[in-house]
Amino acid sequence: MLHIDYANYESLRAHGEETYPHECCGVLLGKSNADGNHVQQIVRAGNTRTDSAHNRYNIAPQELVKIQRQARGLGLDIVGFYHSHPDHPAQWSPTDFAEAHWIGCSYVITAVEEGKAAITNSFLLSGTSEEDKKFEDQPIEIEVAEQVSQQKGQA
Amino acid sequence: MNIHIPTPLRTYTAGAETVTVPGTTVAEVFTNLTSQYPDLKQQLFSNEGKLRSFVNVYLNDEDLRYLPEKEATSVAAADELTIIPSIAGGTDRPGKGASRKNSSSRNTPCCSCCPLL
């Protein structure tokens, strides 16, 4: 399960609308436990793939180092990442899978259709190594103030 | 020196996010790191003993790949090493012209009987 509050959820979806028709990307900071990954803060990142930003994203390692340092300062961990798929389904692609290396982390994908955020899905990268890793569908629990809604494929 | 471990590799450091390992060069530090935490070795290095292509290593704020002496670079106790796997991906959809927003296909006749011809 991916647990995220409504404001952060909406913020990562809005990011995809702002960068449309290019892919956006960012990092999910929080804590993990047996119940899943709990997002407490999202950090927007730059997409360095300016050569092909409509269908590729990459976060500069130097920026990741800074974000990991920021997380450490907050007592948080990197628990996942997000990016958008402009005019493409919110499903992981072969490239997403090949380039996924953070086992145990959530990979959140938002489909952005003609500039509007549509479906948002999360996939947990499970396994023990590069050789046996796999993406699993991961339900998203959106915490809205005093009420909690559980959604998958929320439009 | 301190080595910062990314979330997925903490399984192999008993959950520690920062470990302290002795050494005078980056290579020596890595040797000591993988001696102390043997299961890290196959996560970080290929069978040929090279750092896996998706594993980035930063000495303080410098990318190890761009340091003149690379793994032979000298380190001090106050230096910090950060291991950070890469983050990338994408849709695999074709070029810009194929996006729904930019596509002109809905105005393009598809056959000789198409009324737009």
Side-chain angles (χ1 to χ4, degrees):
Chain A
M1 180 84 76
L2 176 71
H3 306 263
I4 184 169
D5 65 87
Y6 183 74
N8 279 323
Y9 178 74
E10 279 304 305
S11 179
L12 69 84
R13 285 165 53 82
H15 193 190
E17 294 182 346
E18 290 166 31
T19 62
Y20 182 86
H22 296 157
E23 296 198 10
C24 72
C25 49
V27 184
L28 310 177
L29 305 185
K31 284 289 180 186
S32 298
N33 60 24
D35 189 30
N37 291 328
H38 297 254
V39 179
Q40 294 181 31
Q41 187 174 322
I42 71 165
V43 181
R44 293 184 174 198
N47 181 0
T48 66
R49 287 298 305 269
T50 52
D51 60 313
S52 190
H54 69 289
N55 67 353
R56 289 285 184 273
Y57 80 94
N58 178 78
I59 302 177
Q62 177 67 72
E63 189 170 10
L64 278 175
V65 170
K66 287 181 180 168
I67 294 171
Q68 185 166 272
R69 192 176 292 152
Q70 177 186 343
R72 201 160 52 241
L74 294 167
L76 301 176
D77 300 318
I78 292 176
V79 297
F81 306 91
Y82 72 87
H83 72 282
S84 62
H85 279 180
D87 295 320
H88 199 78
Q91 295 295 323
W92 56 270
S93 68
T95 300
D96 287 330
F97 181 70
E99 300 283 359
H101 307 295
W102 289 67
I103 289 170
C105 284
S106 302
Y107 284 73
V108 175
I109 301 173
T110 296
V112 182
E113 297 175 354
E114 299 189 347
K116 292 293 294 178
I119 306 283
T120 295
N121 286 326
S122 182
F123 304 95
L124 176 71
L125 187 66
S126 64
T128 60
S129 68
E130 281 298 302
E131 288 68 39
D132 69 357
K133 69 180 182 181
K134 63 178 179 180
F135 270 137
E136 296 176 8
D137 290 353
Q138 183 180 46
I140 302 175
E141 183 176 77
I142 303 164
E143 294 157 6
V144 185
E146 293 179 5
Q147 70 179 59
V148 173
S149 67
Q150 207 181 102
Q151 306 197 31
K152 177 68 181 173
Q154 194 257 357
Chain B
M1 72 183 302
N2 283 339
I3 305 177
H4 300 300
I5 308 295
T7 329
L9 298 185
R10 291 177 196 164
T11 304
Y12 308 102
T13 59
E17 77 173 61
T18 301
V19 298
T20 304
V21 174
T24 58
T25 64
V26 172
E28 202 175 302
V29 167
F30 267 120
T31 299
N32 291 333
L33 174 69
T34 52
S35 297
Q36 202 168 325
Y37 304 101
D39 291 339
L40 267 182
K41 193 168 185 175
Q42 70 161 21
Q43 302 290 332
L44 297 174
F45 296 96
S46 66
N47 291 336
E48 293 74 41
K50 301 279 187 191
L51 266 176
R52 289 182 182 247
S53 59
F54 60 84
V55 176
N56 301 293
V57 176
Y58 275 72
L59 177 59
N60 302 315
D61 284 317
E62 300 292 330
D63 189 331
L64 183 64
R65 282 172 293 208
Y66 301 116
L67 291 175
E69 297 182 77
K70 303 189 187 307
E71 284 86 350
T73 303
S74 297
V75 296
D79 287 331
E80 292 189 323
L81 212 60
T82 301
I83 298 170
I84 200 102
S86 62
I87 292 296
T91 62
D92 294 335
R93 73 180 167 90
K96 292 174 185 171
S99 86
R100 239 184 277 174
K101 183 177 185 176
N102 297 327
S103 173
S104 60
S105 61
R106 66 185 67 173
N107 297 321
T108 305
C110 59
C111 58
S112 59
C113 61
C114 182
L116 290 174
L117 272 177

